[in-house]
Amino acid sequence: MKGFQVGVLIFFGIFVFLAVLIFSGAIKIGGKTTEEVTKADKTIDIWGTIPQKNLAKSISVINSKNPNVIIKYTYKDPRKYQSELLEAFAFGGLPEIFLLSQDLIYLYEDKVVNIPFTYFPEATYDETYVRAANIFKKPGGFLGFPLITDPLVMYYNQDLLETAGYTVPPKYWSDLFSYVPQLTKKNDALEISTYGVALGEFTNVNNAKEIFMALMLQLDNAVVVRGANDIYKTTLNVASNISGKPAVQSLRFYTEFSDPQKDAYSWNKSIKNSLDAFTAGELAIYFGLASEYKNIELKNPNLNFDVATLPQVKEINNTITYADVYALAIPKTSPKAQIALGISAQLANGSDTSSIVAASGYAPMRRDIVATPNLPKHTKVFYNSALTSRSWIDPNNDNTNALFAKMFENISSGLDSPEDAVDRANNELRVLFSK
């Protein structure tokens, strides 16, 4: 038997043993054990933003293996998810398990079960999950079993690249300065008909905040650092060990592509949304999340596109991308916390997890699933990107979107220098962490 297969069998053995302990009540978290569950309350409700149709089959299989418990998954609109959770925490109606993402950690970390490392050692956690999962760790434990991640990758139009004479997509960010002038088609009036890359603006660039975060993380700035006593320190305006202030460097690079005076000019605020431009065959390079792959296929089945890892900073050896991350969290107040923990352990660490990941359209958090052999090319890119992904604790998605949009707008309009815009944004970010 191959080493990979032996490792997987040992891995599953550990988690079968853990699930048995949790279900039996040997590991005490709170709430009832399976023996104490009555017919009336044996349902475990799960809320999440993964479409229900993607998970229906996997949950049905897991339900068939657990006759004493019924898992009921409810899809929530991502645009309303945060407000619905807030209302449920305030007035009741909480599920037993909910998907906790990086932009919900700050809001709910004191309201969910902190699973102790005494029962799931930190070393095991680190060996099991990719590094992006570290965002869920707290002193003495973690906020939920990591399940899926959605890494930022590079989509590219193969026809447009080949027409411009390129057989491979750019590997480094600096490569864009040679690629984009060849890919962009514009007339003497600087009216653009084919866009080389969607960078430079915020409001019409899908994932603009994520792209900026990827640049920051590649330049060794985590944006926010959790200190002692869960005190958060913002580092947006702090210099890194690499060179200068990453935020200033990132802004100068990013906004170059919307400056009509630059050779790299390929985007402006009057252009349609970047995803729409890409699926229309008008945009050569689009930076999107792994979960967008199926949607791109659906929007234009005839589009000849491929996917590659996100470009990197040439002078840095590490490969890093940004990712949204999701864990299965359990409200502290749940009377079924004990059972919910067993279910979440099985969902995230059982033999069916790989099918859940595949059906979701996301990438795995578990290292053993990342190492799955013989994957389709695009899936391999997503899984490899999960391995090199990092994230950040976003205090409030809507507020930080507005904050960064203003930062970009003030620079492009000339109201602020990059240095002043970064200082202002850092102060505003600090305020969000004081609420």
Side-chain angles (χ1 to χ4, degrees):
M1 186 177 292
K2 296 181 179 179
F4 174 80
Q5 295 172 312
V6 171
V8 170
L9 290 175
I10 293 172
F11 178 83
F12 288 147
I14 291 171
F15 283 106
V16 167
F17 178 66
L18 175 67
V20 169
L21 291 177
I22 293 171
F23 274 123
S24 67
I27 293 180
K28 292 291 185 184
I29 297 296
K32 305 173 184 177
T33 66
T34 47
E35 293 181 359
E36 298 169 315
V37 175
T38 65
K39 290 183 179 179
D41 70 356
K42 70 177 183 177
T43 299
I44 296 295
D45 286 308
I46 303 176
W47 287 6
T49 53
I50 303 171
Q52 190 145 359
K53 63 181 180 181
N54 293 5
L55 298 182
K57 183 177 179 181
S58 298
I59 288 177
S60 176
V61 170
I62 293 173
N63 275 333
S64 68
K65 296 179 180 179
N66 296 282
N68 294 325
V69 176
I70 298 173
I71 300 172
K72 179 184 176 184
Y73 177 76
T74 302
Y75 166 75
K76 294 293 181 180
D77 186 333
R79 296 167 296 182
K80 301 176 182 178
Y81 187 48
Q82 182 174 317
S83 61
E84 290 190 37
L85 274 175
L86 189 64
E87 183 177 343
F89 269 104
F91 303 109
L94 277 169
E96 281 69 47
I97 302 171
F98 69 96
L99 270 186
L100 180 73
S101 52
Q102 76 287 337
D103 57 340
L104 297 177
I105 291 174
Y106 179 69
L107 296 173
Y108 299 115
E109 62 182 336
D110 62 340
K111 297 178 177 64
V112 301
V113 172
N114 190 27
I115 303 168
F117 283 132
T118 51
Y119 297 115
F120 192 90
E122 186 171 8
T124 303
Y125 185 99
D126 293 339
E127 292 169 0
T128 302
Y129 304 112
V130 299
R131 284 180 62 180
N134 290 347
I135 201 170
F136 297 114
K137 289 167 64 173
K138 290 194 69 176
F142 55 102
L143 298 171
F145 283 107
L147 180 64
I148 51 175
T149 179
D150 200 5
L152 188 67
V153 296
M154 175 171 55
Y155 293 93
Y156 60 96
N157 184 311
Q158 287 186 304
D159 291 336
L160 292 180
L161 259 69
E162 289 170 3
T163 298
Y166 295 107
T167 58
V168 294
K171 183 177 180 180
Y172 302 107
W173 291 112
S174 57
D175 292 339
L176 290 176
F177 292 124
S178 58
Y179 273 68
V180 170
Q182 303 302 315
L183 294 167
T184 304
K185 304 301 179 186
K186 51 182 179 276
N187 60 23
D188 292 339
L190 296 182
E191 295 171 334
I192 308 172
S193 56
T194 301
Y195 317 106
V197 67
L199 291 174
E201 297 291 343
F202 192 91
T203 55
N204 63 346
V205 175
N206 264 25
N207 311 304
K209 182 169 71 174
E210 290 78 4
I211 297 167
F212 178 71
M213 285 299 153
L215 289 165
M216 291 290 290
L217 292 165
Q218 289 178 5
L219 291 170
D220 196 31
N221 188 312
V223 182
V224 176
V225 178
R226 183 197 275 133
N229 301 317
D230 286 338
I231 301 299
Y232 290 93
K233 179 182 178 181
T234 60
T235 61
L236 193 63
N237 64 345
V238 174
S240 73
N241 295 326
I242 297 172
S243 63
K245 292 184 177 181
V248 173
Q249 291 182 357
S250 299
L251 283 171
R252 284 178 174 157
F253 167 80
Y254 186 92
T255 54
E256 187 142 341
F257 299 90
S258 60
D259 186 345
Q261 304 303 315
K262 303 289 187 178
D263 291 339
Y265 174 59
S266 67
W267 196 258
N268 60 61
K269 64 178 61 177
S270 69
I271 300 170
K272 67 182 73 172
N273 176 274
S274 58
L275 176 59
D276 292 337
F278 185 74
T279 55
E282 300 166 354
L283 172 63
I285 297 173
Y286 169 75
F287 301 114
L289 299 171
S291 61
E292 296 180 56
Y293 185 88
K294 292 179 181 178
N295 186 41
I296 292 172
E297 281 191 320
L298 286 172
K299 291 190 77 164
N300 187 350
N302 298 316
L303 186 67
N304 183 21
F305 76 99
D306 208 339
V307 62
T309 54
L310 196 73
Q312 301 295 306
V313 178
K314 193 170 187 177
E315 296 76 19
I316 299 173
N317 293 326
N318 290 339
T319 298
I320 294 174
T321 190
Y322 168 84
D324 290 339
V325 290
Y326 302 86
L328 296 166
I330 303 162
K332 284 182 178 178
T333 56
S334 173
K336 306 178 197 174
Q338 185 77 37
I339 308 160
L341 185 63
I343 291 294
S344 62
Q346 184 174 354
L347 287 170
N349 304 310
S351 57
D352 297 303
T353 308
S354 58
S355 63
I356 292 175
V357 172
S360 72
Y362 291 71
M365 293 286 260
R366 267 177 31 196
R367 292 176 181 272
D368 66 308
I369 301 179
V370 168
T372 302
N374 303 318
L375 293 169
K377 180 188 173 184
H378 70 277
T379 305
K380 190 65 177 175
V381 169
F382 299 155
Y383 283 26
N384 286 343
S385 295
L387 192 62
T388 62
S389 64
R390 309 286 187 272
S391 197
W392 77 298
I393 296 179
D394 186 340
N396 184 295
N397 185 55
D398 291 340
N399 289 342
T400 55
N401 276 340
L403 182 158
F404 288 120
K406 185 170 74 172
M407 180 178 71
F408 281 89
E409 179 62 29
N410 285 354
I411 292 173
S412 62
S413 65
L415 287 175
D416 279 337
S417 67
E419 291 82 0
D420 290 341
V422 167
D423 286 340
R424 192 189 307 275
N426 188 70
N427 290 335
E428 293 178 5
L429 189 59
R430 186 184 299 120
V431 170
L432 291 180
F433 277 104
S434 66
K435 293 181 178 180

